């Protein structure tokens, strides 16, 4: 989940080797360290290829490598982690967008707004503010699995809480696909 998040957000934090958003850059560095700690907690040894790849990834962030390079590393690492731990990145059935919309209206619109612009009444006091799901470039950078993971686990340090205890997998996939559709015309 964190690797997918990093892949989408890091490119906007560094430009030509310069930090353009210090808050996001600090968050990216903290997430990379958290990934290392999580893998260690899962029993991945320091000399394992996965942790060696995380070391290279952390170095790329520290060296302010280009966004596309770090995003590519993050996606490759996410794939390796999913493969190692048997995590499926696709739903077991075709998502139901109508059900996703109903869930969005009930659980998300209060913060993210009725149409997903991040302008819901309950989100006005949140820092950082709720995500605008019409930011097309960002949506194109996120896989449906990244959206599913955010809905599942939430995002530490934000108002976005996880729904793993209240929504089953199929329901979270419905919601992820609906949210992912908001920035695009119906056709």
């Amino acid at each position: 989940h964190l690797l997918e998040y990093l892949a989408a957000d890091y490119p906007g934090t560094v430009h030509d080797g310069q930090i353009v958003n210090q808050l996001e850059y600090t968050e990216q560095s903290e997430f990379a360290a958290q990934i290392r700690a999580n893998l260690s907690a899962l029993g991945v040894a320091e000399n394992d290829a996965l942790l060696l790849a995380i070391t290279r990834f952390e170095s790329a962030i520290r060296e302010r490598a280009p966004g596309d390079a770090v995003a590519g590393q993050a996606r490759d690492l996410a794939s390796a982690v999913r493969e190692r731990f048997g995590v499926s990145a696709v739903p077991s059935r075709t998502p139901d967008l109508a059900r996703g919309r109903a869930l969005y209206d009930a659980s998300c619109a209060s913060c993210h707004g009725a149409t997903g612009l991040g302008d819901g009444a309950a989100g006005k006091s949140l820092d950082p503010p709720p995500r605008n799901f019409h930011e097309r470039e960002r949506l194109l950078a996120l896989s449906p699995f990244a959206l599913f993971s955010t809905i599942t686990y939430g995002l530490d340090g934000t108002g976005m809480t996880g729904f793993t205890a209240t929504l089953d997998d199929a329901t979270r996939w419905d919601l992820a696909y609906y949210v992912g559709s908001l920035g695009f015309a119906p056709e």
Side-chain angles (χ1 to χ4, degrees):
H1 168 64
L2 291 174
L3 286 162
E4 294 275 355
Y5 186 81
L6 276 160
D9 278 9
Y10 179 85
T13 65
V14 173
H15 183 70
D16 292 332
Q18 299 300 309
I19 299 170
V20 295
N21 186 328
Q22 184 63 51
L23 181 64
E24 283 288 324
Y25 179 79
T26 300
E27 182 182 63
Q28 305 300 305
S29 299
E30 290 169 357
F31 284 162
Q34 187 177 347
I35 293 163
R36 170 183 291 286
N38 290 347
L39 289 174
S40 293
L42 289 169
V44 178
E46 282 296 321
N47 62 348
D48 186 287
L50 201 51
L51 273 185
L52 295 174
I54 291 290
T55 299
R56 289 189 299 277
F57 178 67
E58 289 175 307
S59 293
I61 292 172
R62 267 193 312 277
E63 294 165 7
R64 299 181 216 136
D68 58 342
V70 171
Q73 280 184 297
R75 286 187 187 97
D76 290 346
L77 281 164
S79 179
V81 168
R82 283 192 300 269
E83 184 176 321
R84 172 78 60 93
F85 294 100
V87 176
S88 177
V90 296
S92 60
R93 65 159 176 77
T94 303
D96 180 340
L97 290 181
R99 186 174 168 202
R101 180 187 175 103
L103 291 163
Y104 179 87
D105 290 344
S107 301
C108 309
S110 63
C111 290
H112 290 283
T115 62
L117 291 172
D119 60 353
K124 292 195 183 304
S125 64
L126 296 177
D127 184 26
R131 187 61 74 182
N132 175 349
F133 297 126
H134 292 266
E135 294 173 348
R136 190 177 199 119
E137 188 172 313
R138 175 158 173 77
L139 278 176
L140 290 171
L142 293 170
S143 69
F145 181 71
L147 295 169
F148 172 81
S149 295
T150 299
I151 292 165
T152 299
Y153 304 112
L155 289 172
D156 287 342
T158 73
M160 179 63 199
T161 60
F163 290 91
T164 192
T166 56
L167 300 176
D168 64 23
D169 279 2
T171 305
R172 292 192 312 271
W173 277 114
D174 294 339
L175 188 53
Y177 271 79
Y178 177 73
V179 166
S181 76
L182 288 174
F184 301 94
E187 62 276 1

